[in-house]
Amino acid sequence: GAVVSQHPSRVICKSGTSVKIECRSLDFQATTMFWYRQFPKQSLMLMATSNEGSKATYEQGVEKDKFLINHASLTLSTLTVTSAHPEDSSFYICSADHRVNTEAFFGQGTRLTVV
Amino acid sequence: GIQVEQSPPDLILQEGANSTLRCNFSDSVNNLQWFHQNPWGQLINLFYIPSGTKQNGRLSATTVATERYSLLYISSSQTTDSGVYFCAMHKTSYDKVIFGPGTSLSVIP
């Protein structure tokens, strides 16, 4: 199957700082990647769709200026949480569109704690 | 959009017991998967099963697409089966994945 790698797996940052999370498709090219967020005891919800070479599209209620997404290559998308606050503490996970294989492939996820 | 329900929301099993988890969905889907989220948050892909039946060891899954439901069977449960089980679906590979609310399973020794 296809491999999606996400880094870091865990990060603790101070309130007001920015954190960058990387999502890589290791053995395939992905024109589209997806970023999901999961709050404690809840399901996973889509935040934004990352499109290579163009602007990301954000779900309703997700601040695009706070969650910056860059998809500069066919194997890498990054999510930057800017001016992080404790309420941004969550589990963030990405997936990549394989196109050929219709299964959804997910990264390992990143647990962000803002103190 | 597609509405997804899972039942039961919570389940406690004695080690060795069997269980059936259910996923109902409101619209036809081309792609359906079952995931196990372990205590570290990682999503483990259990089955890709848009229709039919598949088995993998102690786990098996059945999807009846025409009736819009899928079942996940866990037999001879082990403590390592604990975690949250999600059914998830998407129309095409470039569509977002919609997750159900999950079933939280605790297997006690």
Side-chain angles (χ1 to χ4, degrees):
Chain A
V3 180
V4 179
S5 178
Q6 193 172 334
H7 178 80
S9 58
R10 202 173 196 94
V11 59
I12 300 172
C13 71
K14 290 185 177 181
S15 190
T17 62
S18 296
V19 173
K20 181 185 283 188
I21 303 169
E22 293 186 348
C23 179
R24 294 181 184 273
S25 55
L26 295 188
D27 52 359
F28 66 101
Q29 294 182 329
T31 54
T32 304
M33 292 186 178
F34 302 91
W35 289 95
Y36 297 82
R37 180 169 55 183
Q38 183 183 32
F39 290 110
K41 306 285 187 190
Q42 294 187 23
S43 188
L44 294 91
M45 297 293 291
L46 181 71
M47 295 176 63
T49 301
S50 168
N51 302 296
E52 188 268 337
S54 64
K55 290 183 178 181
T57 54
Y58 292 80
E59 296 297 294
Q60 193 172 9
V62 177
E63 301 174 56
K64 62 180 181 181
D65 295 330
K66 181 168 189 60
F67 298 99
L68 301 180
I69 290 173
N70 184 286
H71 194 157
S73 79
L74 288 172
T75 59
L76 174 64
S77 175
T78 60
L79 168 68
T80 302
V81 183
T82 63
S83 187
H85 290 286
E87 56 265 32
D88 298 324
S89 298
S90 188
F91 186 72
Y92 296 87
I93 192 166
C94 68
S95 73
D97 163 27
H98 190 277
R99 288 295 166 114
V100 174
N101 190 326
T102 52
E103 288 184 49
F105 298 96
F106 288 84
Q108 303 92 321
T110 298
R111 191 165 302 282
L112 170 64
T113 304
V114 184
V115 298
Chain B
I2 300 171
Q3 303 299 312
V4 185
E5 299 175 347
Q6 287 187 246
S7 60
D10 300 281
L11 184 60
I12 300 175
L13 293 178
Q14 200 79 40
E15 198 169 24
N18 304 326
S19 64
T20 300
L21 281 55
R22 186 178 180 103
C23 173
N24 292 330
F25 43 97
S26 63
D27 198 359
S28 61
V29 294
N30 298 323
N31 305 282
L32 188 149
Q33 292 173 253
W34 281 96
F35 292 95
H36 174 212
Q37 188 171 39
N38 65 23
W40 297 271
Q42 190 174 4
L43 285 177
I44 310 299
N45 184 14
L46 299 176
F47 293 103
Y48 172 74
I49 187 162
S51 65
T53 297
K54 288 186 179 179
Q55 179 154 10
N56 184 2
R58 297 182 295 105
L59 303 182
S60 64
T62 295
T63 297
V64 183
T66 53
E67 297 187 23
R68 299 181 185 168
Y69 73 88
S70 184
L71 303 174
L72 178 68
Y73 306 95
I74 304 174
S75 64
S76 304
S77 58
Q78 300 176 357
T79 55
T80 51
D81 294 332
S82 296
V84 183
Y85 290 81
F86 291 103
C87 68
M89 52 209 67
H90 55 288
K91 288 279 190 181
T92 67
S93 64
Y94 43 89
D95 285 327
K96 66 180 180 182
V97 174
I98 297 171
F99 287 84
T103 291
S104 180
L105 173 65
S106 296
V107 181
I108 55 177

